């Protein structure tokens, strides 16, 4: 089947669209080595078939949007590992091509979203959960521009500006997108009622309210308990469709490169409340796998109770 025949924005005007889950955890489950500073980018470079297989697993689970393996791919970080600019550009293009192949092999229409991770992701030190990098908006825009240009040239259906911890970084990526005619979503990672960098959420979401390139705003890679208040904050300042793809409530420990799982177990997700608040893109982030997405799909299609609990 060909990839989705219409713009994602049109679908969001009519219904909820199901996102995939965490790419890194699926790659790990497939036996891939994600050690080192490149994370899933390492597998993109060394084992592209594994990346395509991970995308295919989510498509089989019912995901309608596949997010590429470009989250951690940055020119500076890859240069430090021996990749020149042409090689890094080729990897960004490869990330889109792999997701596209999985999309085309699916039995339903699937969009490809090119992941644009935050500056902190390429530092591989956990600073995407802190923000406040000490860079100006202009410097952050200069960092993001070549990555975004490469991903747009690769033919992605939409850009996923995701796990953004800081409103200043959001301003930078919006500046890069301005006038391009591209479609993108903007997703913050949050803690309580603020961005990870500490800005109030209404203020952060308001940055995107007038941007024609932005087709949805919301949150990802955060505690599920923080989703509904964040969606309500977004809805207070924009009529743009909303999105939610949290992790399972675990906390990332950068020094040990491990997740600390919630105790005693993950809480149910109030998916129906998210939908009522305006969420039209719903899925999972880190530690949410294909079986979870398959169960989430059943709930979204009307077979659930309005709450969803992660497997485990």
């Amino acid at each position: 089947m060909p990839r989705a025949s219409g713009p994602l924005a049109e679908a969001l005007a009519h219904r909820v669209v199901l996102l995939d889950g965490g790419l890194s955890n699926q790659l790990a489950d497939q036996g891939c080595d994600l050690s080192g500073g490149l994370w899933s980018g390492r597998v993109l470079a060394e084992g592209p078939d594994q990346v395509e297989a991970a995308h295919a697993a989510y498509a089989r689970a019912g995901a309608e949007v596949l997010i590429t393996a470009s989250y951690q791919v940055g020119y500076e970080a890859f240069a430090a590992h021996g990749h020149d600019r042409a090689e890094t550009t080729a990897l960004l293009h490869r990330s889109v091509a792999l997701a596209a192949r999985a999309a085309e092999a699916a039995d339903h229409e699937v969009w490809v979203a090119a992941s644009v991770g935050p500056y902190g992701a390429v530092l591989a030190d956990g600073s995407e959960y802190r923000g406040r990098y000490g860079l100006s908006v202009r410097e952050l825009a200069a960092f993001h521009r070549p990555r975004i240009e490469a991903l747009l040239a690769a033919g992605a259906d939409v850009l996923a500006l995701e796990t953004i911890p800081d409103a200043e970084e959001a301003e930078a990526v919006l500046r890069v997108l301005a006038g391009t005619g591209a479609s993108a979503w903007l997703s913050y990672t949050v803690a309580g009622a603020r961005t990870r960098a500490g800005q109030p959420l209404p203020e952060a979401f308001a940055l995107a309210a007038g941007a024609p390139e932005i087709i949805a705003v919301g949150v990802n890679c955060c505690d599920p308990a923080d989703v509904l208040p964040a969606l309500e904050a977004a809805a207070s300042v924009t009529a743009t469709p909303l999105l939610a793809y949290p992790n399972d409530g675990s906390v990332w420990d950068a020094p040990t490169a491990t997740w600390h799982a919630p105790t005693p177990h993950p809480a149910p997700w109030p998916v129906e409340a998210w939908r009522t608040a305006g969420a039209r893109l719903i899925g999972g982030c880190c530690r949410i796998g294909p079986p979870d997405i398959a169960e989430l799909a059943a709930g979204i299609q009307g077979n659930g109770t309005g709450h969803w609990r992660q497997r485990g």
Side-chain angles (χ1 to χ4, degrees):
M1 173 174 284
R3 276 162 56 183
S5 56
L8 179 57
E10 291 184 3
L12 298 182
H14 302 290
R15 64 181 181 89
V16 173
V17 175
L18 181 66
L19 294 167
D20 60 8
L23 184 61
S24 61
N25 48 263
Q26 178 59 20
L27 291 172
D29 288 348
Q30 292 172 194
C32 299
D33 185 356
L34 278 70
S35 63
L38 300 182
W39 200 40
S40 57
R42 174 178 178 177
V43 187
L44 177 65
E46 299 176 359
D49 289 349
Q50 292 282 5
V51 174
E52 185 175 351
H55 289 315
Y58 281 114
R60 288 193 300 271
E64 299 173 276
V65 180
L66 300 177
I67 302 175
T68 66
S70 50
Y71 175 85
Q72 200 125 357
V73 181
Y75 286 94
E76 296 82 357
F78 272 66
H81 287 79
H83 298 271
D84 63 25
R85 290 188 70 83
E87 291 171 334
T88 301
T89 297
L91 287 174
L92 289 166
H93 289 184
R94 174 187 289 178
S95 73
V96 174
L98 293 172
R101 284 211 293 264
E104 290 160 3
D107 63 0
H108 57 280
E109 288 193 321
V110 177
W111 288 270
V112 172
S115 175
V116 180
Y119 176 81
V122 303
L123 301 179
D125 64 357
S127 58
E128 67 261 50
Y129 298 114
R130 298 190 300 271
R132 297 300 191 191
Y133 313 119
L135 300 178
S136 68
V137 171
R138 177 178 295 181
E139 288 169 324
L140 288 168
F143 166 79
H144 282 290
R145 182 170 285 107
R147 306 166 71 212
I148 287 174
E149 290 175 346
L151 291 167
L152 288 175
D157 299 306
V158 62
L159 296 179
L161 311 174
E162 57 178 355
T163 327
I164 303 298
D166 194 323
E168 291 184 359
E169 186 162 22
E171 183 180 349
V173 292
L174 291 169
R175 182 178 296 183
V176 173
L177 282 183
T180 63
S183 293
W185 75 63
L186 174 64
S187 185
Y188 288 101
T189 179
V190 301
R194 294 178 176 269
T195 67
R196 299 278 185 165
Q199 297 106 345
L201 290 182
E203 172 187 306
F205 285 120
L207 290 172
E213 296 82 8
I214 299 301
I215 65 169
V217 297
V219 292
N220 78 289
C221 210
C222 61
D223 192 310
D226 288 337
V227 169
L228 185 57
L231 296 180
E232 292 171 343
S236 73
V237 295
T238 178
T240 305
L242 306 182
L243 63 90
Y245 54 116
N247 57 39
D248 69 343
S250 296
V251 176
W252 177 248
D253 184 344
T256 62
T258 57
W259 287 98
H260 295 303
T263 56
H265 51 70
W269 292 10
V271 174
E272 190 57 38
W274 299 352
R275 294 173 64 173
T276 300
R280 293 296 177 266
L281 276 170
I282 299 176
C285 201
C286 299
R287 298 169 64 86
I288 303 297
D292 302 311
I293 294 301
E295 292 192 5
L296 186 58
I300 287 175
Q301 291 164 1
N303 301 321
T305 63
H307 285 73
W308 173 82
R309 184 183 295 276
Q310 184 195 358
R311 289 164 59 93

